[in-house]
Amino acid sequence: MPIRSKEFKTRLSETTGLSDSAISAAWPEWWSDAADVSPSAQAELRFSIARKLGLDPTSLLDEGSPHFIWDDSAKYKNFTGDTKRERPAITSFGVSLSRMVVKGVSDQFELVGMTATKLRESLLAKQPFVRLQDLLVLLWGIGVPVIHLRVHPLNAKRICAMAVRVGKRSAILLAKDSQYPAPIAFHLAHEIGHIALGHVTDDGGLVDMEDTAEHVNSDDPEETAADRYALELLTGDPNFDVVKQGQGHNPKQLALESLQKGPQSQIEPGTLALCYGHTTGEWGTAQAALSHIYSKPIPVWEVVNMIANQQIHWDALNDENTSFVKAVMGGI
């Protein structure tokens, strides 16, 4: 008879490296104390957990080591840590989640091969500049789901973002937190670049582990190409630069100039301020300027997942997958 659920949960955490929050999110709502004494319920519990977290279900039926299904199907950017223990958990969690989410969207328009200029032109036909919400509306409109993780696969190591291909379909998982939209817009544009440029293989993923907005000068050619794609999508120029004049700006001065010059150049003011931070290295000034550009700080993940909640066809997912995806999205 399989070990009881409490011991099983402890073993799962200790042997896989998965976070307690990830395991709890995957724990089925139907589970009860009465089920703990039923061998068939114990088996179904393990199959349910395996389906959500990307584990080989047969590896959970005995006391051996659990095995992740998608342990080597993702590229990693700027990864440091235990490759054998941590990467399989991140990959399988992200791929499994993405496979669920794409079931809840309509047929997808192929993003691979789409140029940044063409996407930007389509967005500027309706808006004065490219904002985070515009990117989200565009992606959901062409069937590319975007959700923000509120549950992370590992306790200590958090990803910045992940792009996943499910067959010929794509999904993007955001994980970096911000109170302002411009930083997340860059992360999202960067992941769009990875997909559009063909960096993500079919049935594979690409995981960015660091803050890409602060690492534009990367030695990784794919990272450099995705950064250039993001800059072109957001500013119109893959080599966009800001010339520092005199002694530079304090946050309020930078905000005022960004609010004035951004719309003139068809660049969202927050994005322009971040470009100043990248060019000059004055990230503190750029980040502080955001508080003067936007009317008030708002957890961006709430906006991303509110749109996702409205766009996902929940009836296309079974009850267990719906519960898991909503838990990962913060219960929205």
Side-chain angles (χ1 to χ4, degrees):
M1 178 177 178
I3 59 175
R4 296 292 181 89
S5 60
K6 184 178 180 179
E7 290 78 10
F8 170 62
K9 181 179 285 189
T10 299
R11 183 171 70 88
L12 197 60
S13 175
E14 292 176 347
T15 58
T16 65
L18 286 164
S19 67
D20 292 341
S21 58
I23 295 171
S24 295
W27 209 261
E29 292 183 340
W30 54 260
W31 186 255
S32 66
D33 291 340
D36 215 18
V37 299
S38 167
S40 61
Q42 286 276 4
E44 180 54 34
L45 169 67
R46 285 153 175 73
F47 282 113
S48 175
I49 295 291
R51 287 191 294 266
K52 296 167 191 169
L53 298 179
L55 287 156
D56 178 354
T58 60
S59 70
L60 300 183
L61 294 176
D62 54 36
E63 296 186 13
S65 297
H67 174 70
F68 287 102
I69 297 175
W70 295 287
D71 59 351
D72 59 354
S73 58
K75 299 179 184 177
Y76 278 77
K77 306 298 182 179
N78 305 305
F79 180 88
T80 58
D82 187 339
T83 299
K84 292 184 178 180
R85 178 177 173 84
E86 295 173 336
R87 283 176 47 158
I90 295 171
T91 301
S92 287
F93 178 90
V95 172
S96 182
L97 177 63
S98 296
R99 290 170 71 90
M100 295 178 196
V101 175
V102 297
K103 292 180 180 179
V105 297
S106 304
D107 290 342
Q108 191 172 102
F109 177 82
E110 182 58 83
L111 190 56
V112 176
M114 182 64 62
T115 66
T117 295
K118 188 167 184 178
L119 288 179
R120 178 174 172 81
E121 288 175 348
S122 67
L123 292 170
L124 292 182
K126 297 180 180 179
Q127 301 294 340
F129 38 68
V130 178
R131 306 168 299 171
L132 173 62
Q133 54 264 50
D134 302 321
L135 294 175
L136 292 169
V137 169
L138 170 70
L139 290 169
W140 281 103
I142 62 174
V144 179
V146 182
I147 66 172
H148 200 294
L149 302 181
R150 305 314 300 159
V151 170
H152 295 261
L154 303 180
N155 283 315
K157 192 179 298 298
R158 295 193 174 189
I159 68 174
C160 177
M162 182 175 183
V164 179
R165 293 279 286 173
V166 180
K168 299 296 182 181
R169 310 190 73 179
S170 303
I172 296 175
L173 309 177
L174 299 172
K176 185 75 173 179
D177 283 328
S178 177
Q179 298 293 307
Y180 303 104
I184 306 305
F186 183 86
H187 297 317
L188 182 54
H190 181 93
E191 300 309 312
I192 294 171
H194 278 312
I195 296 170
L197 295 169
H199 298 165
V200 189
T201 59
D202 292 349
D203 294 314
L206 188 150
V207 184
D208 280 302
M209 296 296 294
E210 288 186 358
D211 189 339
T212 53
E214 297 185 16
H215 294 82
V216 177
N217 296 320
S218 173
D219 293 331
D220 186 323
E222 288 188 343
E223 285 295 277
T224 299
D227 286 337
R228 286 171 55 82
Y229 191 102
L231 282 174
E232 185 174 358
L233 177 53
L234 296 172
T235 72
D237 183 356
N239 300 305
F240 186 77
D241 219 346
V242 176
V243 178
K244 181 177 179 179
Q245 298 178 346
Q247 298 299 313
H249 300 72
N250 62 42
K252 192 169 184 178
Q253 289 172 332
L254 177 58
L256 290 173
E257 190 163 342
S258 297
L259 286 165
Q260 177 186 11
K261 294 186 176 180
Q264 294 174 0
S265 304
Q266 294 186 297
I267 301 174
E268 195 270 324
T271 296
L272 185 57
L274 292 182
C275 288
Y276 172 89
H278 168 253
T279 301
T280 64
E282 297 177 9
W283 280 108
T285 299
Q287 294 289 344
L290 298 180
S291 66
H292 299 286
I293 291 173
Y294 302 105
S295 59
K296 61 180 180 179
I298 299 175
V300 177
W301 74 266
E302 292 183 353
V303 177
V304 174
N305 286 348
M306 178 184 68
I307 293 174
N309 186 46
Q310 295 169 346
Q311 294 296 319
I312 294 175
H313 301 309
W314 293 108
D315 56 353
L317 280 66
N318 63 38
D319 290 343
E320 284 203 10
N321 288 353
T322 294
S323 177
F324 177 62
V325 173
K326 287 190 174 184
V328 170
M329 290 170 56
I332 286 184

